[in-house]
Amino acid sequence: MAQADFPEPVKNLIGELKRLPGVGPRSAERIAMWLLQSPKADPPELAKAVMEARDTVIACPVCGFFATDAACQLCDDPKRDDQLLCVVEQATDVLPLERSGAFRGRYHCLGGKLSPLDRVAPEDLRIPPLLRRIEQAEGSIEVILALGADVEGEATANYLAGLLRGGKCRISRIAQGLPAGGGLEHADGLTLMRAIEGRRGW
Amino acid sequence: MAQADFPEPVKNLIGELKRLPGVGPRSAERIAMWLLQSPKADPPELAKAVMEARDTVIACPVCGFFATDAACQLCDDPKRDDQLLCVVEQATDVLPLERSGAFRGRYHCLGGKLSPLDRVAPEDLRIPPLLRRIEQAEGSIEVILALGADVEGEATANYLAGLLRGGKCRISRIAQGLPAGGGLEHADGLTLMRAIEGRRGW
């Protein structure tokens, strides 16, 4: 006599859900049960949303942010400042900057950061299109390197600064220091060192 | 100038993922990014698994466990003991029992438990089919009430025992007491009381 288990289609569904990041075996089972049993669940809507996003969303060939074939919100917006170009690692880094309201220029998503250990070399990043954009920009342009404060982010920023130095653009990078709301007692030594190094006149 | 956000199809996808149990806004975003960007992701397989499970999986009209139109693993298995009928709250309760290997009879899933607060009354549970199954069973039959040890599980067990008492079946219920591997110092008072009440001769 066989030990009973979920029917094959339920096992498949659990298997696919389990592959999603942050979804373990137990959550996958729970989500599958919810999809099959809850009156609030709408499996066709979920399946449709998955396929529609996959079929219509591309990386904008200019800036690398999420776009559709029809439009890129960032590149198509006529009100953004063409003289400011913010370089970020990932397309997802654009949203926190947008939500902060701190920046309303153009963006360039590299698609990653230099990381020899993960075998990410300069040619794996969207660097040539960045150089082309800067080359073709009209008037003076400031390139803001908004990369992470980790080793790879620093290396990537250094590499780009080296490439761009002496060119037509000014280069800046976002500040490192104490995070907002954070007291000194919670800051690590490196953060404090950066905060002291980056101090500004009152 | 509009604050940039994900394109509509990505927002829809995040919205649908956010509705899944245990998936918050940040995990939904993370899963959506993974689906759109990871080479390991296979969105069509996920969409297909969702739809196939929805389209082919039913509750078995006899036992209430997950089944397909073609077959119910539990009811169709000729080697299971017809003289033992285990009553559980949910279809999902069958699997832990199966995996424990403790039971190889038939099952009956009620589809819930009595809960006046959630407006679950006896007529909302699969009780008439249970009575019919017992009525139609050949020979002597033991009905094992394997309901939860919470208030609603107890109420449901009491209600069913009242209905079945004096009928043709024997009634039993699963034991309550110390969980396996648990020391007395971690057991709450109610569990200890049940463990003492349920003590058995050596």
Side-chain angles (χ1 to χ4, degrees), chain A:
Chain A
M1 169 184 41
Q3 176 185 307
D5 201 344
F6 290 118
E8 226 30 66
V10 180
K11 281 198 266 184
N12 280 346
L13 175 58
I14 293 173
E16 284 297 323
L17 291 170
K18 217 159 47 183
R19 301 183 58 226
L20 302 176
V23 177
R26 294 201 71 88
S27 345
E29 204 174 298
R30 187 160 152 241
I31 293 172
M33 292 304 103
W34 183 84
L35 282 171
L36 292 173
Q37 298 187 316
S38 167
K40 287 188 206 149
D42 192 344
E45 270 308 309
L46 173 61
K48 203 180 108 200
V50 168
M51 290 312 289
E52 217 162 88
R54 196 210 58 155
D55 291 341
T56 64
V57 177
I58 57 168
C60 168
V62 177
C63 73
F65 187 62
F66 297 99
T68 58
D69 275 332
C72 170
Q73 295 171 74
L74 293 173
C75 297
D76 297 351
D77 188 338
K79 294 200 187 131
R80 287 183 179 266
D81 187 343
D82 286 320
Q83 260 57 59
L84 282 177
L85 182 58
C86 183
V87 178
V88 294
E89 291 169 13
Q90 297 291 352
T92 42
D93 294 336
V94 167
L95 293 181
L97 285 167
E98 283 292 299
R99 285 168 190 161
S100 77
F103 179 78
R104 286 292 184 267
R106 304 287 171 184
Y107 288 91
H108 192 87
C109 309
L110 292 174
K113 51 190 175 181
L114 296 179
S115 172
L117 285 179
D118 300 320
R119 292 198 216 151
V120 181
E123 56 270 26
D124 299 315
L125 304 180
R126 299 182 61 255
I127 293 176
L130 171 63
L131 301 179
R132 222 174 305 130
R133 279 181 87 177
I134 295 170
E135 197 53 53
Q136 291 167 357
E138 291 173 16
S140 72
I141 180 169
E142 177 179 349
V143 173
I144 305 175
L145 301 175
L147 305 168
D150 55 343
V151 177
E152 293 92 354
E154 299 268 330
T156 311
N158 284 332
Y159 179 82
L160 289 178
L163 279 186
L164 300 175
R165 205 168 290 133
K168 58 185 278 194
C169 64
R170 271 174 305 140
I171 315 169
S172 62
R173 62 185 302 181
I174 54 170
Q176 294 184 22
L178 228 51
L184 263 72
E185 73 274 27
H186 298 118
D188 60 293
L190 193 56
T191 297
L192 286 175
M193 192 195 291
R194 298 270 160 76
I196 297 278
E197 284 167 3
R199 68 190 180 278
R200 310 208 305 194
W202 192 266

Side-chain angles (χ1 to χ4, degrees), chain B residues 116-195:
Chain B
L117 284 178
D118 300 320
R119 293 198 215 151
V120 181
E123 57 270 26
D124 299 315
L125 303 180
R126 300 182 60 254
I127 294 175
L130 172 63
L131 301 179
R132 222 173 305 130
R133 280 181 87 177
I134 295 169
E135 197 53 51
Q136 291 167 358
E138 290 171 18
S140 73
I141 179 169
E142 176 180 348
V143 173
I144 305 175
L145 301 175
L147 305 168
D150 56 342
V151 177
E152 294 91 354
E154 299 268 329
T156 312
N158 284 333
Y159 179 82
L160 289 177
L163 278 185
L164 299 176
R165 205 169 290 134
K168 59 184 274 195
C169 62
R170 273 174 304 140
I171 316 170
S172 63
R173 61 183 302 179
I174 56 170
Q176 295 183 20
L178 229 49
L184 263 72
E185 73 275 28
H186 299 119
D188 60 293
L190 193 56
T191 297
L192 285 175
M193 193 194 292
R194 298 269 162 77

